[in-house]
Amino acid sequence: MHQDRRARYVLALLLFLLVIAPIFTGGLRMVVDWLWFRQEGFRVLFTNVLKSQIALSGLTGVGFILIVGLNLIVAQALSHRYGFRVDGGTVEVSALDRFSNALHWAIWLGVLLVGYGVSHWGMGHWNEYLLAQNSVPIGHSDPLFGLDLSFYLFQLPFRWFLFHLALVTSLACLLSAVSLYFIAGGVWVTPRGPQMAPAARTHLMVLAAIVMVVVAYRVRLAMYGLMYSHRGVIFGAGYSDVNATLPVLKALFYLALLAALLFLAGVVRGSWKPGIYGIIWMVFFGFLGGLVYPELMQRFIVTPNEIDKEAPYIARAIEF
């Protein structure tokens, strides 16, 4: 009885800290802002910002919880085929079941709390959202990719936000599924090493492939980020960026997609090795090609003859 009452108190305190208190403090601040914007004749600005904040908060928070929740439902349905195993044998212990149920609910609570944090994080990117929604072409293209400059000013910041959202969601799906399989069955730690049930292995490898596709998207955004490079004497893409970093990023982009395909191929073969090898090659190539090679080119090729090598890029910088 005392434990139930204590649990209710803890739940009430958690509800107050996460919901009621933020609503009260945020609502008071919102009323003050509303009065000021209305007094100054900028009510439409206030309502547009508020609508975008509500939309982003709902889409990111609810979307995260729905996607990760559906992923957990799939993992839970698959894990019911298996149980706890000790040296290959299935065991049933009532105390272990109670502990498993507690951890199971802890995972769901963690998903809800992270989703709540994601909604607040997403709400803070209302400016990038509005810029992307209301972008207009400038009429000038960059010399490297041929994209209108409005892409870099209005679209690219929001695309970085979408990447981070996709990365957090995909990693949460992968980690929560692994945790559930450890708790409910499907992944076991044995003296001979970790073992996985075929269905759990298939599910996790598909999630790993999705993570690698998200990583490939991040590499693609990094290519556009070269327009903000400060490696050389100018701000923007220089000789080393165009002739060293960009080709390496293109290769990493295809390597990330290849790693995703290797994980899917591993589903057919029933092995993690193809996908793991793909990640190892990507990390190795990224370290040598992304860090070492551009710096060596900048130091030994560009710097001794900097005026000649950087002249076209300096001209671009002056023009823009």
Side-chain angles (χ1 to χ4, degrees):
M1 187 67 180
H2 293 290
Q3 292 181 351
D4 293 339
R5 185 178 301 176
R6 186 180 303 171
R8 292 173 185 174
Y9 288 152
V10 172
L11 182 61
L13 179 61
L14 185 64
L15 181 65
F16 177 80
L17 293 176
L18 294 180
V19 180
I20 299 178
I23 288 178
F24 177 76
T25 56
L28 183 61
R29 183 172 59 251
M30 185 170 59
V31 169
V32 174
D33 290 342
W34 162 258
L35 293 175
W36 186 88
F37 274 91
R38 189 181 64 173
Q39 176 68 27
E40 297 298 323
F42 297 126
R43 183 175 59 180
V44 64
L45 298 180
F46 178 84
T47 55
N48 286 339
V49 172
L50 182 61
K51 289 178 183 178
S52 65
Q53 288 177 334
I54 294 174
L56 280 177
S57 178
L59 290 175
T60 55
V62 177
F64 175 87
I65 293 174
L66 285 178
I67 294 175
V68 181
L70 289 175
N71 175 71
L72 282 176
I73 291 174
V74 171
Q76 185 175 354
L78 295 176
S79 65
H80 282 168
R81 305 178 185 179
Y82 314 100
F84 300 100
R85 293 186 180 182
V86 178
D87 288 338
T90 304
V91 297
E92 295 183 3
V93 182
S94 58
L96 194 60
D97 289 337
R98 289 194 296 269
F99 180 70
S100 174
N101 290 333
L103 291 179
H104 179 269
W105 285 109
I107 293 176
W108 278 100
L109 179 60
V111 170
L112 293 176
L113 292 177
V114 174
Y116 179 82
V118 169
S119 68
H120 274 261
W121 169 72
M123 182 175 59
H125 290 78
W126 61 268
N127 190 35
E128 292 93 331
Y129 171 74
L130 287 178
L131 288 174
Q133 286 292 105
N134 299 279
S135 63
V136 294
I138 293 178
H140 293 280
S141 301
D142 76 272
L144 188 57
F145 299 104
L147 298 174
D148 191 90
L149 296 184
S150 61
F151 172 80
Y152 299 95
L153 297 176
F154 307 128
Q155 297 289 339
L156 188 57
F158 187 66
R159 294 200 180 192
W160 276 110
F161 162 74
L162 293 178
F163 155 72
H164 288 107
L165 178 62
L167 182 65
V168 169
T169 305
S170 58
L171 287 178
C173 288
L174 181 61
L175 295 177
S176 61
V178 170
S179 302
L180 187 61
Y181 284 129
F182 267 113
I183 294 170
V187 176
W188 309 278
V189 178
T190 67
R192 295 180 298 275
Q195 294 184 355
M196 293 185 184
R201 182 175 58 241
T202 298
H203 183 201
L204 295 179
M205 282 196 286
V206 170
L207 292 176
I210 294 175
V211 172
M212 295 312 300
V213 171
V214 175
V215 172
Y217 184 64
R218 189 255 182 266
V219 176
R220 183 62 180 172
L221 294 179
M223 297 182 195
Y224 302 131
L226 292 178
M227 303 301 293
Y228 301 92
S229 174
H230 54 273
R231 176 181 285 119
V233 295
I234 59 172
F235 181 83
Y239 183 90
S240 298
D241 299 310
V242 174
N243 295 279
T245 305
L246 183 59
V248 169
L249 289 176
K250 289 180 179 179
L252 288 175
F253 174 77
Y254 290 111
L255 284 175
L257 293 180
L258 178 61
L261 293 176
L262 289 175
F263 274 116
L264 296 180
V267 172
V268 180
R269 297 183 55 184
S271 173
W272 284 88
K273 290 183 179 180
I276 298 298
Y277 288 152
I279 293 179
I280 292 175
W281 276 108
M282 183 180 175
V283 172
F284 178 76
F285 186 81
F287 174 75
L288 292 181
L291 297 178
V292 178
Y293 177 55
E295 291 299 326
L296 291 177
M297 177 177 286
Q298 180 70 28
R299 179 172 300 181
F300 296 105
I301 297 179
V302 178
T303 301
N305 194 17
E306 197 163 36
I307 298 299
D308 181 59
K309 296 295 184 182
E310 298 284 10
Y313 307 99
I314 295 174
R316 290 178 181 177
I318 295 174
E319 177 187 355
F320 278 86

